[in-house]
C-alpha cells in the first residue's frame, strides 16, 4: 500500500513539472513571433538609392512620377509604384538574425545594400537598408528604421527595389508622345 502512494506522488509530481515546463515554453516562445510593421500614414514619395543611382518616385494627385538622378520627372507605371509602396507599407519581419556589426552587414549584403526612404510630405516615415535575398529568394535581409539589428524579412525586397527609371516609366504614354512628335501633317502638293 505504501508503494502505491509513493507511485502516485511521483506521477503527480512529474505531471506538475511537465505542466510548468509547458507553461514556460508558451510564455517564452511567444516573443519570437512574426511581426508586421505597418505604416499608419499613406506614403506619397519614395527615394531609392542603389550605388550611384538615386531614384525618386512621387505621387502628384492620382498619378505617380519617377525621376532618376535629378533628370526630369516621367510618368510611372501605376502597378510598379503601388508594388513599391506596398512593400514599404507592410513589412513582415520573420526574426532578427544578427546584431548589426560591420561583419554582419558585409555577410548579409547590407554594406552595399539598397537604401530606401519613404515620406509623406516632408515627414520621414520609414527607412530600409535592403541586403541579399536568401537562397530561396522569397526572403531577404534588411535593417529597418535606422536600427542596427539585421532582420530576416518576408518577400524579395531587393528585387522590388533594384530598379531603374527605364524599367518603371509608363511606356504607353511615352510611346504616344513620341508618335505625336513623329507624325507630320500631310502636305498637299
Amino acid at each position: 500500500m505504501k508503494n502505491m502512494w509513493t507511485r502516485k506522488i511521483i506521477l503527480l509530481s512529474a505531471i506538475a513539472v511537465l505542466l510548468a515546463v509547458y507553461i514556460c515554453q508558451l510564455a517564452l516562445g511567444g516573443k519570437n513571433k512574426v511581426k508586421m510593421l505597418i505604416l499608419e500614414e499613406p506614403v506619397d514619395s519614395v527615394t531609392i538609392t542603389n550605388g550611384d543611382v538615386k531614384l525618386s518616385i512621387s505621387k502628384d494627385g492620382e498619378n505617380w512620377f519617377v525621376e532618376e538622378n535629378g533628370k526630369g520627372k516621367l510618368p510611372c507605371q501605376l502597378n510598379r509604384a503601388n508594388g513599391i509602396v506596398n512593400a514599404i507599407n507592410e513589412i513582415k519581419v520573420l526574426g532578427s538574425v544578427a546584431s548589426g556589426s560591420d561583419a554582419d552587414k558585409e555577410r548579409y549584403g547590407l554594406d552595399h545594400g539598397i537604401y530606401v526612404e519613404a515620406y509623406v510630405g516632408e515627414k520621414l516615415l520609414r527607412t530600409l537598408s535592403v541586403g541579399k535575398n536568401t537562397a530561396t529568394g522569397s526572403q531577404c535581409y534588411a535593417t529597418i528604421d535606422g536600427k542596427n539589428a539585421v532582420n530576416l524579412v518576408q518577400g524579395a525586397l531587393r528585387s522590388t527595389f533594384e530598379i531603374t527609371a527605364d524599367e518603371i516609366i509608363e511606356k504607353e504614354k511615352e510611346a504616344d508622345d513620341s508618335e505625336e512628335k513623329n507624325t507630320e501633317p500631310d502636305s498637299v502638293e
Side-chain angles (χ1 to χ4, degrees):
M1 197 56 121
K2 190 175 183 181
N3 285 338
M4 186 70 99
W5 283 104
T6 306
R7 286 182 182 172
K8 285 183 180 179
I9 290 174
I10 291 173
L11 183 61
L12 290 174
S13 298
I15 290 172
V17 168
L18 291 174
L19 180 63
V21 168
Y22 177 70
I23 290 171
C24 287
Q25 284 180 339
L26 287 177
L28 298 176
K31 292 181 182 177
N32 201 12
K33 296 213 180 219
V34 174
K35 289 187 281 185
M36 286 294 293
L37 302 177
I38 300 172
L39 291 177
E40 299 296 325
E41 298 180 64
V43 173
D44 64 8
S45 66
V46 177
T47 303
I48 303 170
T49 306
N50 186 6
D52 296 341
V53 178
K54 185 173 183 178
L55 201 66
S56 298
I57 301 169
S58 58
K59 190 172 188 178
D60 186 10
E62 294 298 315
N63 298 320
W64 287 92
F65 294 91
V66 62
E67 182 177 355
E68 187 172 334
N69 293 334
K71 300 176 190 170
K73 287 186 175 183
L74 296 170
C76 183
Q77 296 174 22
L78 183 62
N79 62 339
R80 294 295 296 267
N82 286 336
I84 291 167
V85 170
N86 288 339
I88 295 168
N89 278 339
E90 294 183 9
I91 298 175
K92 187 184 286 188
V93 178
L94 302 176
S96 180
V97 294
S99 63
S101 68
D102 289 339
D104 291 335
K105 289 182 180 182
E106 183 178 342
R107 178 179 181 191
Y108 296 110
L110 294 164
D111 54 344
H112 299 292
I114 300 170
Y115 190 69
V116 181
E117 296 175 326
Y119 296 91
V120 59
E122 297 294 319
K123 180 181 174 187
L124 180 64
L125 295 177
R126 172 157 293 153
T127 60
L128 288 173
S129 183
V130 181
K132 296 178 186 175
N133 285 338
T134 59
T136 62
S138 61
Q139 294 120 4
C140 71
Y141 302 103
T143 59
I144 303 168
D145 293 333
K147 296 178 183 163
N148 282 333
V150 178
N151 297 297
L152 180 62
V153 177
Q154 180 68 38
L157 295 181
R158 185 165 192 92
S159 302
T160 301
F161 298 124
E162 198 169 42
I163 54 173
T164 63
D166 289 337
E167 294 172 345
I168 65 171
I169 59 174
E170 195 166 311
K171 306 288 187 206
E172 294 168 4
K173 284 187 180 178
E174 185 180 278
D176 290 344
D177 291 344
S178 65
E179 284 177 15
E180 288 175 13
K181 290 177 186 175
N182 290 336
T183 57
E184 297 178 17
D186 293 335
S187 60
V188 178
E189 291 183 28

